[in-house]
Amino acid sequence: RLLTSRRAPREEPHWVLLSFCRYYFPCQRWLAVEEDDGQIARELVPVDEAFVKKDSENEGQSPATLGLEQKAKSTTYSVKVKTGDKKNAGTDANVFIILYGSKDDTGIVSLKASKFNKNKFERGKVDEFTVESVDIGDLKKIKIGHDNKGNSTGWFLEWVEIDAPSLGQCLKFPCGRWLDKSEDDGAVERIIFPAELQTVEYIPFVPYEITVYTSDIFGAGTDADVFIVLYGSDGICTQQKSLCLNKREQRMYFERNSVNQFIVELEDIGDIIEKIRIGHYGGGLNSGWHLDRVTIRRLLPNGK
């Protein structure tokens, strides 16, 4: 990533699905400490479409698939919120955010499910949330605040960081003020602008459609945190990325004889996927997993 203080105007990409970018990765093995060879991650190489054509012919445009394609056309923002390390800095109130872009805004988005902390907005903690939106253009400012409800409502907000991988932008919004009826100016919501010198730009990520098939054998499903890495030519690869956003999704997906689809934004490794690494972190109950196969389609912007 490169640190820069200026951003050139960009034309936002419109993502479309190109069917010829589908790759097939058979597995048909356990990823379990107590089964097979005890490995919980495997590297898979693609095979010709004919090996799995019979099953793939049954893949239709289900409502879930159409919903994922709509998701691929949206921008996903990772929103990190730092609560100050001061006495009574945390809040029990309901926090919201609005992202304002050069074209539109997201409307009010409730920050309910923190990725790392069960208790949100505690003193000195950083909470992370996922916000999805249609194209709002370049991010210009945010409004963040709370409803002043609960036992301890006052909140000291240190900063907000917003990362949009598909746009190649990470912006920092410093605050360092109270959102409290009895502190500072009494406001419980604030409009914040990005710190230009802390703006980070990098090569935009692209979305991949990843379909995971869990086998139809006893005990095949898993509640573990499943991850994937994609490898392109010339040794390039993506980061190791979890397919589920939280533990609730881990419990919902990867059941026996299930098909789960994900739109995952990753580094662009080019037109060729030479192999993938897929596995889980183990631990907890029901972590063993029997993976049948994985299919992957790369989403490309118009004109590519």
Side-chain angles (χ1 to χ4, degrees):
R1 296 185 177 185
L2 300 176
L3 188 64
T4 180
S5 60
R6 288 197 180 93
R7 299 196 306 276
R10 60 164 57 82
E11 183 176 341
E12 303 297 343
H14 173 66
W15 301 99
V16 292
L17 196 58
L18 301 183
S19 59
F20 61 82
C21 290
R22 188 196 298 266
Y23 286 79
Y24 302 86
F25 299 87
C27 180
Q28 298 176 349
R29 295 185 67 179
W30 283 99
L31 288 79
V33 173
E34 298 178 353
E35 300 283 353
D36 204 328
D37 58 359
Q39 299 299 308
I40 59 174
R42 300 193 182 279
E43 290 190 353
L44 309 177
V45 295
V47 301
D48 188 85
E49 180 181 2
F51 284 98
V52 289
K53 188 170 181 60
K54 181 177 179 181
D55 288 326
S56 65
E57 285 173 350
N58 296 325
E59 295 176 23
Q61 290 283 5
S62 68
T65 302
L66 292 172
L68 283 171
E69 293 192 10
Q70 287 297 315
K71 178 179 178 179
K73 296 176 183 179
S74 301
T75 300
T76 300
Y77 299 92
S78 172
V79 179
K80 292 182 178 179
V81 181
K82 172 67 183 295
T83 298
D85 191 9
K86 292 177 176 285
K87 183 179 179 181
N88 299 322
T91 185
D92 294 330
N94 299 303
V95 175
F96 69 87
I97 193 170
I98 304 173
L99 279 55
Y100 295 89
S102 56
K103 298 179 181 178
D104 203 349
D105 64 74
T106 61
I108 295 175
V109 178
S110 297
L111 300 181
K112 291 184 177 181
S114 175
K115 190 172 183 179
F116 302 115
N117 303 312
K118 183 176 181 181
N119 295 320
K120 308 181 296 293
F121 311 118
E122 294 293 310
R123 174 179 175 175
K125 299 291 186 180
V126 176
D127 294 285
E128 183 175 347
F129 307 87
T130 299
V131 174
E132 291 178 8
S133 172
V134 296
D135 177 20
I136 64 172
D138 283 337
L139 190 55
K140 298 297 185 181
K141 64 181 180 180
I142 64 172
K143 178 186 286 187
I144 188 166
H146 60 78
D147 62 1
N148 202 43
K149 294 181 180 179
N151 294 324
S152 301
T153 59
W155 185 34
F156 190 90
L157 172 61
E158 195 71 55
W159 49 256
V160 177
E161 182 182 275
I162 300 180
D163 190 11
S166 65
L167 303 180
Q169 294 181 355
C170 184
L171 294 88
K172 194 74 165 281
F173 296 79
C175 181
R177 296 184 67 178
W178 286 97
L179 286 76
D180 190 336
K181 289 281 190 181
S182 58
E183 297 282 354
D184 204 329
D185 60 359
V188 296
E189 59 182 49
R190 298 196 182 280
I191 292 177
I192 314 173
F193 294 87
E196 198 169 357
L197 293 177
Q198 296 184 60
T199 296
V200 176
E201 288 197 334
Y202 53 95
I203 298 173
F205 286 20
V206 299
Y208 292 85
E209 180 199 77
I210 300 173
T211 307
V212 180
Y213 298 77
T214 298
S215 303
D216 186 15
I217 64 175
F218 179 76
T222 184
D223 292 331
D225 185 4
V226 174
F227 65 80
I228 195 167
V229 183
L230 310 186
Y231 294 83
S233 57
D234 300 322
I236 62 173
C237 67
T238 70
Q239 63 181 293
Q240 184 166 294
K241 179 75 171 181
S242 293
L243 295 180
C244 294
L245 295 176
N246 50 50
K247 291 186 181 298
R248 182 184 65 84
E249 289 192 357
Q250 289 172 214
R251 293 191 296 268
M252 289 173 54
Y253 300 139
F254 311 117
E255 296 295 308
R256 174 179 175 175
N257 194 31
S258 65
V259 181
N260 302 119
Q261 287 186 320
F262 306 88
I263 299 295
V264 182
E265 292 179 345
L266 295 167
E267 296 91 339
D268 188 358
I269 60 171
D271 295 329
I272 299 173
I273 305 177
E274 292 195 344
K275 66 178 180 179
I276 66 172
R277 180 174 177 82
I278 188 167
H280 59 80
Y281 296 101
L285 300 175
N286 305 318
S287 63
W289 184 33
H290 197 281
L291 172 62
D292 185 73
R293 66 189 189 275
V294 179
T295 67
I296 298 178
R297 292 198 287 182
R298 177 173 175 250
L299 301 175
L300 297 175
N302 282 335
K304 284 193 176 182

